[in-house]
Amino acid sequence: METKTHPLALPAPAMVDLDGIRTATWLLESAVGGPTGRTSVRPTGRDVVLCHGTPWSARVWAHVAATLAADRRVLLWDMPGYGRSEMGPQVPVDLATQMGRLPRLLDVLGIERPHVVAHDIGGAVALGAHLLHGQDLASLMLWDPVVLEPWGSPFFRLVAENADVFAALPPQLHRALVREYISGAAGAPLDARVLEQLVDPWTTPEGRSGFYRQIAALTPAHTRPIARSLGSVRCPVAIGWGEEDPWIPVEQAARLSAALPGRPTPRLLPGVGHLAPLEASRAVGDTVRQWLARLESSAGPDVCVQPRG
């Protein structure tokens, strides 16, 4: 297992108006120097969209995104209610709403039929965009996704049932709680600087209440329609999982595979917890690049499979 000891660096985001909500986005691609300055390297394949989970932000994908951006364009976004996006009480943060936002974001940015790589509830958002909102994808790779029940740790359920009580915690106690919660997702201790970067968005006045509000808004009722429709996925799909995931047991990988077209063989990462994109960014990045190269060399970037009927 890799141990990350350097910060999760991303440039300043471009803010996009998404349903009246300021949404942080990043479009990364390599550039080289030339007589007239820096110019973009021509991408080798379709765009890749990276979707984060909870209580994370696009930063968990920073290292993987840097790898992928060497030869293609990569979109990251902080879902509304997370990271550097707007997260006030007026922002709906339930999964059903987030599923509908992804297709609208792609439309605003002019991104058609991308490859999507998604983690945690980002997996539910990507699947919901595809299955419930008709978003066409070139492929979908799911890492430790929130799809099948049961999901949500005992702490998660306790907070969901008592969000107002937890939101009243003093700032220092709140920060300690969030730090311990995030630490508990990993298979091994996270670097202190990286951990603080993950905690920081939730320690502003809006972030403190937003942390509990987004937990309270997440419900299996919004993933059940996806789980019932998994056999209707219309694009190639891959699965990755940390073998030591303490939040979503690795046993779910086999169940998810059995429900998907083609029954993809899960890529299991020994010694890795729930935060595979961060804990094992090199392995995840290599897996994604090999997956995309195989798809685009064997059948072209528009390869598609038929759903089981």
Side-chain angles (χ1 to χ4, degrees), residues 247-292:
W247 286 6
I248 308 179
V250 68
E251 289 78 11
Q252 281 201 16
R255 290 174 51 206
L256 181 59
S257 172
L260 288 165
R263 293 177 172 81
T265 300
R267 169 79 160 94
L268 305 182
L269 300 179
V272 174
H274 184 68
L275 275 171
L278 176 57
E279 296 179 66
S281 60
R282 182 176 302 171
V284 171
D286 288 346
T287 300
V288 175
R289 293 191 74 175
Q290 291 163 12
W291 160 255
L292 298 180

mmCIF file of all heavy atoms in Angstrom, residues 247-292:
data_model
loop_
_atom_site.group_PDB
_atom_site.id
_atom_site.type_symbol
_atom_site.label_atom_id
_atom_site.label_comp_id
_atom_site.label_asym_id
_atom_site.label_seq_id
_atom_site.Cartn_x
_atom_site.Cartn_y
_atom_site.Cartn_z
ATOM 1 N N TRP A 247 -15.780 0.704 5.665
ATOM 2 C CA TRP A 247 -17.105 1.306 5.518
ATOM 3 C C TRP A 247 -18.020 0.486 4.617
ATOM 4 O O TRP A 247 -19.203 0.349 4.896
ATOM 5 C CB TRP A 247 -16.972 2.727 4.954
ATOM 6 C CG TRP A 247 -16.460 3.719 5.937
ATOM 7 C CD1 TRP A 247 -15.999 3.484 7.204
ATOM 8 C CD2 TRP A 247 -16.362 5.130 5.737
ATOM 9 N NE1 TRP A 247 -15.612 4.651 7.809
ATOM 10 C CE2 TRP A 247 -15.829 5.689 6.937
ATOM 11 C CE3 TRP A 247 -16.661 5.979 4.683
ATOM 12 C CZ2 TRP A 247 -15.598 7.062 7.082
ATOM 13 C CZ3 TRP A 247 -16.431 7.340 4.823
ATOM 14 C CH2 TRP A 247 -15.901 7.875 6.008
ATOM 15 N N ILE A 248 -17.490 -0.009 3.507
ATOM 16 C CA ILE A 248 -18.284 -0.825 2.582
ATOM 17 C C ILE A 248 -17.505 -2.109 2.349
ATOM 18 O O ILE A 248 -16.530 -2.122 1.601
ATOM 19 C CB ILE A 248 -18.538 -0.090 1.247
ATOM 20 C CG1 ILE A 248 -19.109 1.310 1.505
ATOM 21 C CG2 ILE A 248 -19.510 -0.893 0.384
ATOM 22 C CD1 ILE A 248 -19.371 2.102 0.247
ATOM 23 N N PRO A 249 -17.907 -3.198 2.985
ATOM 24 C CA PRO A 249 -17.122 -4.431 2.941
ATOM 25 C C PRO A 249 -16.845 -4.900 1.522
ATOM 26 O O PRO A 249 -17.685 -4.774 0.616
ATOM 27 C CB PRO A 249 -18.001 -5.436 3.693
ATOM 28 C CG PRO A 249 -18.872 -4.597 4.568
ATOM 29 C CD PRO A 249 -19.117 -3.326 3.789
ATOM 30 N N VAL A 250 -15.643 -5.453 1.331
ATOM 31 C CA VAL A 250 -15.217 -5.900 0.006
ATOM 32 C C VAL A 250 -16.128 -6.993 -0.538
ATOM 33 O O VAL A 250 -16.184 -7.215 -1.762
ATOM 34 C CB VAL A 250 -13.743 -6.364 0.059
ATOM 35 C CG1 VAL A 250 -13.607 -7.642 0.880
ATOM 36 C CG2 VAL A 250 -13.178 -6.548 -1.344
ATOM 37 N N GLU A 251 -16.863 -7.672 0.331
ATOM 38 C CA GLU A 251 -17.804 -8.689 -0.139
ATOM 39 C C GLU A 251 -18.836 -8.111 -1.107
ATOM 40 O O GLU A 251 -19.389 -8.830 -1.959
ATOM 41 C CB GLU A 251 -18.529 -9.337 1.044
ATOM 42 C CG GLU A 251 -17.660 -10.252 1.898
ATOM 43 C CD GLU A 251 -16.746 -9.493 2.848
ATOM 44 O OE1 GLU A 251 -16.933 -8.258 2.997
ATOM 45 O OE2 GLU A 251 -15.837 -10.127 3.426
ATOM 46 N N GLN A 252 -19.099 -6.820 -1.006
ATOM 47 C CA GLN A 252 -20.064 -6.201 -1.911
ATOM 48 C C GLN A 252 -19.561 -6.171 -3.351
ATOM 49 O O GLN A 252 -20.357 -6.062 -4.288
ATOM 50 C CB GLN A 252 -20.405 -4.781 -1.458
ATOM 51 C CG GLN A 252 -21.394 -4.722 -0.310
ATOM 52 C CD GLN A 252 -22.083 -3.376 -0.216
ATOM 53 O OE1 GLN A 252 -22.069 -2.574 -1.162
ATOM 54 N NE2 GLN A 252 -22.708 -3.108 0.915
ATOM 55 N N ALA A 253 -18.253 -6.249 -3.545
ATOM 56 C CA ALA A 253 -17.707 -6.206 -4.905
ATOM 57 C C ALA A 253 -18.244 -7.362 -5.741
ATOM 58 O O ALA A 253 -18.616 -7.179 -6.914
ATOM 59 C CB ALA A 253 -16.181 -6.241 -4.856
ATOM 60 N N ALA A 254 -18.298 -8.558 -5.169
ATOM 61 C CA ALA A 254 -18.804 -9.718 -5.909
ATOM 62 C C ALA A 254 -20.293 -9.578 -6.181
ATOM 63 O O ALA A 254 -20.768 -9.925 -7.279
ATOM 64 C CB ALA A 254 -18.528 -10.997 -5.121
ATOM 65 N N ARG A 255 -21.038 -9.064 -5.212
ATOM 66 C CA ARG A 255 -22.482 -8.858 -5.425
ATOM 67 C C ARG A 255 -22.738 -7.844 -6.524
ATOM 68 O O ARG A 255 -23.619 -8.019 -7.370
ATOM 69 C CB ARG A 255 -23.134 -8.392 -4.133
ATOM 70 C CG ARG A 255 -23.217 -9.438 -3.029
ATOM 71 C CD ARG A 255 -23.756 -8.822 -1.745
ATOM 72 N NE ARG A 255 -24.991 -8.083 -1.985
ATOM 73 C CZ ARG A 255 -25.411 -7.071 -1.219
ATOM 74 N NH1 ARG A 255 -24.666 -6.647 -0.197
ATOM 75 N NH2 ARG A 255 -26.551 -6.464 -1.493
ATOM 76 N N LEU A 256 -21.955 -6.768 -6.516
ATOM 77 C CA LEU A 256 -22.125 -5.741 -7.538
ATOM 78 C C LEU A 256 -21.763 -6.289 -8.911
ATOM 79 O O LEU A 256 -22.478 -6.054 -9.897
ATOM 80 C CB LEU A 256 -21.255 -4.530 -7.199
ATOM 81 C CG LEU A 256 -21.336 -3.341 -8.153
ATOM 82 C CD1 LEU A 256 -22.759 -2.808 -8.237
ATOM 83 C CD2 LEU A 256 -20.380 -2.231 -7.705
ATOM 84 N N SER A 257 -20.680 -7.024 -8.982
ATOM 85 C CA SER A 257 -20.267 -7.621 -10.253
ATOM 86 C C SER A 257 -21.360 -8.504 -10.829
ATOM 87 O O SER A 257 -21.660 -8.448 -12.024
ATOM 88 C CB SER A 257 -18.987 -8.429 -10.056
ATOM 89 O OG SER A 257 -18.664 -9.153 -11.219
ATOM 90 N N ALA A 258 -21.978 -9.319 -9.994
ATOM 91 C CA ALA A 258 -23.009 -10.243 -10.463
ATOM 92 C C ALA A 258 -24.223 -9.517 -11.013
ATOM 93 O O ALA A 258 -24.959 -10.070 -11.843
ATOM 94 C CB ALA A 258 -23.427 -11.169 -9.326
ATOM 95 N N ALA A 259 -24.443 -8.276 -10.585
ATOM 96 C CA ALA A 259 -25.616 -7.524 -11.025
ATOM 97 C C ALA A 259 -25.374 -6.711 -12.292
ATOM 98 O O ALA A 259 -26.325 -6.212 -12.896
ATOM 99 C CB ALA A 259 -26.075 -6.590 -9.904
ATOM 100 N N LEU A 260 -24.108 -6.573 -12.706
ATOM 101 C CA LEU A 260 -23.757 -5.714 -13.833
ATOM 102 C C LEU A 260 -23.590 -6.510 -15.123
ATOM 103 O O LEU A 260 -23.205 -7.690 -15.086
ATOM 104 C CB LEU A 260 -22.458 -4.968 -13.540
ATOM 105 C CG LEU A 260 -22.558 -3.852 -12.502
ATOM 106 C CD1 LEU A 260 -21.173 -3.433 -12.025
ATOM 107 C CD2 LEU A 260 -23.302 -2.642 -13.079
ATOM 108 N N PRO A 261 -23.848 -5.900 -16.273
ATOM 109 C CA PRO A 261 -23.598 -6.575 -17.554
ATOM 110 C C PRO A 261 -22.136 -6.990 -17.666
ATOM 111 O O PRO A 261 -21.226 -6.238 -17.298
ATOM 112 C CB PRO A 261 -23.937 -5.497 -18.588
ATOM 113 C CG PRO A 261 -24.878 -4.585 -17.892
ATOM 114 C CD PRO A 261 -24.427 -4.559 -16.457
ATOM 115 N N GLY A 262 -21.895 -8.192 -18.148
ATOM 116 C CA GLY A 262 -20.541 -8.684 -18.324
ATOM 117 C C GLY A 262 -19.890 -9.201 -17.069
ATOM 118 O O GLY A 262 -18.793 -9.760 -17.129
ATOM 119 N N ARG A 263 -20.521 -9.012 -15.921
ATOM 120 C CA ARG A 263 -19.971 -9.470 -14.645
ATOM 121 C C ARG A 263 -18.467 -9.172 -14.526
ATOM 122 O O ARG A 263 -17.632 -10.076 -14.485
ATOM 123 C CB ARG A 263 -20.250 -10.958 -14.451
ATOM 124 C CG ARG A 263 -21.729 -11.276 -14.279
ATOM 125 C CD ARG A 263 -22.000 -12.764 -14.148
ATOM 126 N NE ARG A 263 -23.385 -13.010 -13.793
ATOM 127 C CZ ARG A 263 -24.409 -13.010 -14.663
ATOM 128 N NH1 ARG A 263 -24.167 -12.786 -15.940
ATOM 129 N NH2 ARG A 263 -25.643 -13.220 -14.257
ATOM 130 N N PRO A 264 -18.101 -7.885 -14.484
ATOM 131 C CA PRO A 264 -16.676 -7.523 -14.461
ATOM 132 C C PRO A 264 -15.962 -8.074 -13.229
ATOM 133 O O PRO A 264 -16.525 -8.122 -12.136
ATOM 134 C CB PRO A 264 -16.706 -5.993 -14.437
ATOM 135 C CG PRO A 264 -18.050 -5.654 -13.867
ATOM 136 C CD PRO A 264 -18.977 -6.709 -14.369
ATOM 137 N N THR A 265 -14.728 -8.487 -13.428
ATOM 138 C CA THR A 265 -13.908 -8.991 -12.326
ATOM 139 C C THR A 265 -13.382 -7.818 -11.513
ATOM 140 O O THR A 265 -12.676 -6.959 -12.043
ATOM 141 C CB THR A 265 -12.727 -9.814 -12.855
ATOM 142 O OG1 THR A 265 -13.232 -10.919 -13.610
ATOM 143 C CG2 THR A 265 -11.868 -10.328 -11.705
ATOM 144 N N PRO A 266 -13.707 -7.733 -10.219
ATOM 145 C CA PRO A 266 -13.241 -6.592 -9.424
ATOM 146 C C PRO A 266 -11.720 -6.566 -9.301
ATOM 147 O O PRO A 266 -11.069 -7.604 -9.192
ATOM 148 C CB PRO A 266 -13.889 -6.824 -8.058
ATOM 149 C CG PRO A 266 -15.064 -7.712 -8.334
ATOM 150 C CD PRO A 266 -14.628 -8.598 -9.462
ATOM 151 N N ARG A 267 -11.166 -5.374 -9.302
ATOM 152 C CA ARG A 267 -9.744 -5.146 -9.025
ATOM 153 C C ARG A 267 -9.632 -4.862 -7.540
ATOM 154 O O ARG A 267 -10.064 -3.803 -7.057
ATOM 155 C CB ARG A 267 -9.239 -3.966 -9.854
ATOM 156 C CG ARG A 267 -7.839 -3.464 -9.471
ATOM 157 C CD ARG A 267 -6.758 -4.347 -10.042
ATOM 158 N NE ARG A 267 -5.487 -3.643 -10.082
ATOM 159 C CZ ARG A 267 -4.557 -3.700 -9.130
ATOM 160 N NH1 ARG A 267 -4.771 -4.415 -8.037
ATOM 161 N NH2 ARG A 267 -3.421 -3.028 -9.266
ATOM 162 N N LEU A 268 -9.084 -5.797 -6.786
ATOM 163 C CA LEU A 268 -8.984 -5.670 -5.342
ATOM 164 C C LEU A 268 -7.584 -5.223 -4.949
ATOM 165 O O LEU A 268 -6.591 -5.745 -5.467
ATOM 166 C CB LEU A 268 -9.318 -7.009 -4.672
ATOM 167 C CG LEU A 268 -10.676 -7.626 -5.037
ATOM 168 C CD1 LEU A 268 -10.900 -8.914 -4.263
ATOM 169 C CD2 LEU A 268 -11.817 -6.639 -4.794
ATOM 170 N N LEU A 269 -7.505 -4.273 -4.022
ATOM 171 C CA LEU A 269 -6.231 -3.704 -3.602
ATOM 172 C C LEU A 269 -5.930 -4.126 -2.170
ATOM 173 O O LEU A 269 -6.569 -3.655 -1.224
ATOM 174 C CB LEU A 269 -6.270 -2.175 -3.705
ATOM 175 C CG LEU A 269 -6.539 -1.607 -5.102
ATOM 176 C CD1 LEU A 269 -6.580 -0.084 -5.048
ATOM 177 C CD2 LEU A 269 -5.500 -2.082 -6.106
ATOM 178 N N PRO A 270 -4.959 -5.015 -1.960
ATOM 179 C CA PRO A 270 -4.624 -5.493 -0.615
ATOM 180 C C PRO A 270 -4.151 -4.356 0.288
ATOM 181 O O PRO A 270 -3.419 -3.461 -0.141
ATOM 182 C CB PRO A 270 -3.497 -6.503 -0.860
ATOM 183 C CG PRO A 270 -3.615 -6.879 -2.298
ATOM 184 C CD PRO A 270 -4.140 -5.666 -2.998
ATOM 185 N N GLY A 271 -4.576 -4.400 1.544
ATOM 186 C CA GLY A 271 -4.111 -3.430 2.524
ATOM 187 C C GLY A 271 -4.706 -2.047 2.396
ATOM 188 O O GLY A 271 -4.346 -1.138 3.142
ATOM 189 N N VAL A 272 -5.626 -1.848 1.464
ATOM 190 C CA VAL A 272 -6.207 -0.530 1.198
ATOM 191 C C VAL A 272 -7.601 -0.464 1.811
ATOM 192 O O VAL A 272 -8.366 -1.430 1.748
ATOM 193 C CB VAL A 272 -6.264 -0.261 -0.315
ATOM 194 C CG1 VAL A 272 -6.995 1.047 -0.612
ATOM 195 C CG2 VAL A 272 -4.853 -0.217 -0.887
ATOM 196 N N GLY A 273 -7.931 0.669 2.414
ATOM 197 C CA GLY A 273 -9.233 0.874 3.017
ATOM 198 C C GLY A 273 -10.234 1.464 2.040
ATOM 199 O O GLY A 273 -10.225 1.148 0.848
ATOM 200 N N HIS A 274 -11.064 2.356 2.536
ATOM 201 C CA HIS A 274 -12.131 2.919 1.703
ATOM 202 C C HIS A 274 -11.630 3.990 0.747
ATOM 203 O O HIS A 274 -12.266 4.265 -0.269
ATOM 204 C CB HIS A 274 -13.226 3.506 2.604
ATOM 205 C CG HIS A 274 -14.409 4.017 1.862
ATOM 206 N ND1 HIS A 274 -15.280 3.188 1.186
ATOM 207 C CD2 HIS A 274 -14.874 5.286 1.659
ATOM 208 C CE1 HIS A 274 -16.232 3.911 0.622
ATOM 209 N NE2 HIS A 274 -16.002 5.190 0.888
ATOM 210 N N LEU A 275 -10.489 4.596 1.046
ATOM 211 C CA LEU A 275 -10.003 5.734 0.259
ATOM 212 C C LEU A 275 -8.991 5.307 -0.795
ATOM 213 O O LEU A 275 -7.905 5.881 -0.896
ATOM 214 C CB LEU A 275 -9.381 6.773 1.190
ATOM 215 C CG LEU A 275 -10.350 7.763 1.824
ATOM 216 C CD1 LEU A 275 -9.656 8.582 2.887
ATOM 217 C CD2 LEU A 275 -10.945 8.686 0.769
ATOM 218 N N ALA A 276 -9.348 4.337 -1.614
ATOM 219 C CA ALA A 276 -8.408 3.826 -2.620
ATOM 220 C C ALA A 276 -7.823 4.923 -3.514
ATOM 221 O O ALA A 276 -6.622 4.908 -3.782
ATOM 222 C CB ALA A 276 -9.091 2.750 -3.469
ATOM 223 N N PRO A 277 -8.602 5.902 -4.017
ATOM 224 C CA PRO A 277 -7.997 6.926 -4.874
ATOM 225 C C PRO A 277 -6.896 7.729 -4.204
ATOM 226 O O PRO A 277 -6.037 8.287 -4.884
ATOM 227 C CB PRO A 277 -9.187 7.833 -5.222
ATOM 228 C CG PRO A 277 -10.383 6.972 -5.044
ATOM 229 C CD PRO A 277 -10.053 6.075 -3.888
ATOM 230 N N LEU A 278 -6.915 7.765 -2.883
ATOM 231 C CA LEU A 278 -5.902 8.497 -2.136
ATOM 232 C C LEU A 278 -4.855 7.559 -1.554
ATOM 233 O O LEU A 278 -3.647 7.795 -1.670
ATOM 234 C CB LEU A 278 -6.567 9.298 -1.014
ATOM 235 C CG LEU A 278 -5.655 10.067 -0.064
ATOM 236 C CD1 LEU A 278 -4.778 11.042 -0.837
ATOM 237 C CD2 LEU A 278 -6.486 10.805 0.968
ATOM 238 N N GLU A 279 -5.294 6.471 -0.932
ATOM 239 C CA GLU A 279 -4.362 5.533 -0.300
ATOM 240 C C GLU A 279 -3.471 4.832 -1.322
ATOM 241 O O GLU A 279 -2.322 4.495 -1.032
ATOM 242 C CB GLU A 279 -5.137 4.481 0.479
ATOM 243 C CG GLU A 279 -5.942 5.008 1.653
ATOM 244 C CD GLU A 279 -6.699 3.881 2.331
ATOM 245 O OE1 GLU A 279 -6.036 2.996 2.907
ATOM 246 O OE2 GLU A 279 -7.944 3.866 2.255
ATOM 247 N N ALA A 280 -4.017 4.553 -2.487
ATOM 248 C CA ALA A 280 -3.290 3.795 -3.512
ATOM 249 C C ALA A 280 -3.443 4.483 -4.864
ATOM 250 O O ALA A 280 -3.826 3.865 -5.851
ATOM 251 C CB ALA A 280 -3.807 2.359 -3.566
ATOM 252 N N SER A 281 -3.123 5.774 -4.904
ATOM 253 C CA SER A 281 -3.369 6.545 -6.119
ATOM 254 C C SER A 281 -2.583 6.019 -7.314
ATOM 255 O O SER A 281 -3.064 6.054 -8.456
ATOM 256 C CB SER A 281 -3.056 8.022 -5.898
ATOM 257 O OG SER A 281 -1.705 8.201 -5.522
ATOM 258 N N ARG A 282 -1.372 5.504 -7.092
ATOM 259 C CA ARG A 282 -0.592 4.978 -8.212
ATOM 260 C C ARG A 282 -1.262 3.743 -8.802
ATOM 261 O O ARG A 282 -1.415 3.623 -10.026
ATOM 262 C CB ARG A 282 0.826 4.640 -7.769
ATOM 263 C CG ARG A 282 1.713 4.137 -8.909
ATOM 264 C CD ARG A 282 3.137 3.895 -8.440
ATOM 265 N NE ARG A 282 3.712 5.108 -7.894
ATOM 266 C CZ ARG A 282 4.877 5.158 -7.260
ATOM 267 N NH1 ARG A 282 5.580 4.049 -7.068
ATOM 268 N NH2 ARG A 282 5.352 6.300 -6.796
ATOM 269 N N ALA A 283 -1.688 2.831 -7.929
ATOM 270 C CA ALA A 283 -2.362 1.617 -8.410
ATOM 271 C C ALA A 283 -3.681 1.960 -9.080
ATOM 272 O O ALA A 283 -4.029 1.392 -10.123
ATOM 273 C CB ALA A 283 -2.586 0.648 -7.255
ATOM 274 N N VAL A 284 -4.430 2.885 -8.489
ATOM 275 C CA VAL A 284 -5.707 3.284 -9.088
ATOM 276 C C VAL A 284 -5.468 3.967 -10.427
ATOM 277 O O VAL A 284 -6.137 3.670 -11.422
ATOM 278 C CB VAL A 284 -6.489 4.195 -8.129
ATOM 279 C CG1 VAL A 284 -7.711 4.797 -8.835
ATOM 280 C CG2 VAL A 284 -6.931 3.416 -6.893
ATOM 281 N N GLY A 285 -4.510 4.892 -10.478
ATOM 282 C CA GLY A 285 -4.211 5.574 -11.736
ATOM 283 C C GLY A 285 -3.778 4.616 -12.820
ATOM 284 O O GLY A 285 -4.226 4.716 -13.974
ATOM 285 N N ASP A 286 -2.904 3.660 -12.477
ATOM 286 C CA ASP A 286 -2.465 2.669 -13.465
ATOM 287 C C ASP A 286 -3.636 1.804 -13.932
ATOM 288 O O ASP A 286 -3.754 1.482 -15.123
ATOM 289 C CB ASP A 286 -1.376 1.778 -12.875
ATOM 290 C CG ASP A 286 -0.051 2.509 -12.704
ATOM 291 O OD1 ASP A 286 0.105 3.606 -13.276
ATOM 292 O OD2 ASP A 286 0.818 1.972 -11.988
ATOM 293 N N THR A 287 -4.511 1.430 -13.000
ATOM 294 C CA THR A 287 -5.670 0.610 -13.361
ATOM 295 C C THR A 287 -6.585 1.352 -14.317
ATOM 296 O O THR A 287 -7.066 0.789 -15.307
ATOM 297 C CB THR A 287 -6.444 0.201 -12.090
ATOM 298 O OG1 THR A 287 -5.591 -0.553 -11.232
ATOM 299 C CG2 THR A 287 -7.662 -0.636 -12.434
ATOM 300 N N VAL A 288 -6.820 2.622 -14.043
ATOM 301 C CA VAL A 288 -7.684 3.424 -14.921
ATOM 302 C C VAL A 288 -7.057 3.566 -16.304
ATOM 303 O O VAL A 288 -7.721 3.382 -17.335
ATOM 304 C CB VAL A 288 -7.961 4.812 -14.311
ATOM 305 C CG1 VAL A 288 -8.752 5.675 -15.296
ATOM 306 C CG2 VAL A 288 -8.722 4.680 -13.000
ATOM 307 N N ARG A 289 -5.766 3.881 -16.356
ATOM 308 C CA ARG A 289 -5.113 4.070 -17.652
ATOM 309 C C ARG A 289 -5.118 2.783 -18.470
ATOM 310 O O ARG A 289 -5.368 2.807 -19.682
ATOM 311 C CB ARG A 289 -3.669 4.552 -17.449
ATOM 312 C CG ARG A 289 -3.574 5.941 -16.858
ATOM 313 C CD ARG A 289 -2.164 6.486 -16.906
ATOM 314 N NE ARG A 289 -1.809 6.884 -18.274
ATOM 315 C CZ ARG A 289 -0.673 7.479 -18.600
ATOM 316 N NH1 ARG A 289 0.229 7.724 -17.664
ATOM 317 N NH2 ARG A 289 -0.408 7.819 -19.835
ATOM 318 N N GLN A 290 -4.870 1.658 -17.831
ATOM 319 C CA GLN A 290 -4.880 0.383 -18.546
ATOM 320 C C GLN A 290 -6.285 0.049 -19.042
ATOM 321 O O GLN A 290 -6.460 -0.453 -20.161
ATOM 322 C CB GLN A 290 -4.356 -0.721 -17.628
ATOM 323 C CG GLN A 290 -2.870 -0.601 -17.322
ATOM 324 C CD GLN A 290 -2.439 -1.425 -16.127
ATOM 325 O OE1 GLN A 290 -3.195 -2.273 -15.640
ATOM 326 N NE2 GLN A 290 -1.232 -1.175 -15.634
ATOM 327 N N TRP A 291 -7.272 0.335 -18.229
ATOM 328 C CA TRP A 291 -8.675 0.102 -18.614
ATOM 329 C C TRP A 291 -9.051 0.929 -19.840
ATOM 330 O O TRP A 291 -9.614 0.410 -20.814
ATOM 331 C CB TRP A 291 -9.559 0.440 -17.416
ATOM 332 C CG TRP A 291 -11.005 0.733 -17.670
ATOM 333 C CD1 TRP A 291 -11.614 1.961 -17.644
ATOM 334 C CD2 TRP A 291 -12.063 -0.208 -17.919
ATOM 335 N NE1 TRP A 291 -12.962 1.854 -17.863
ATOM 336 C CE2 TRP A 291 -13.262 0.533 -18.041
ATOM 337 C CE3 TRP A 291 -12.092 -1.596 -18.065
ATOM 338 C CZ2 TRP A 291 -14.488 -0.080 -18.305
ATOM 339 C CZ3 TRP A 291 -13.325 -2.197 -18.320
ATOM 340 C CH2 TRP A 291 -14.498 -1.448 -18.443
ATOM 341 N N LEU A 292 -8.720 2.216 -19.817
ATOM 342 C CA LEU A 292 -9.057 3.085 -20.944
ATOM 343 C C LEU A 292 -8.289 2.689 -22.200
ATOM 344 O O LEU A 292 -8.844 2.686 -23.301
ATOM 345 C CB LEU A 292 -8.761 4.541 -20.577
ATOM 346 C CG LEU A 292 -9.549 5.118 -19.398
ATOM 347 C CD1 LEU A 292 -9.156 6.566 -19.159
ATOM 348 C CD2 LEU A 292 -11.049 4.992 -19.622
#
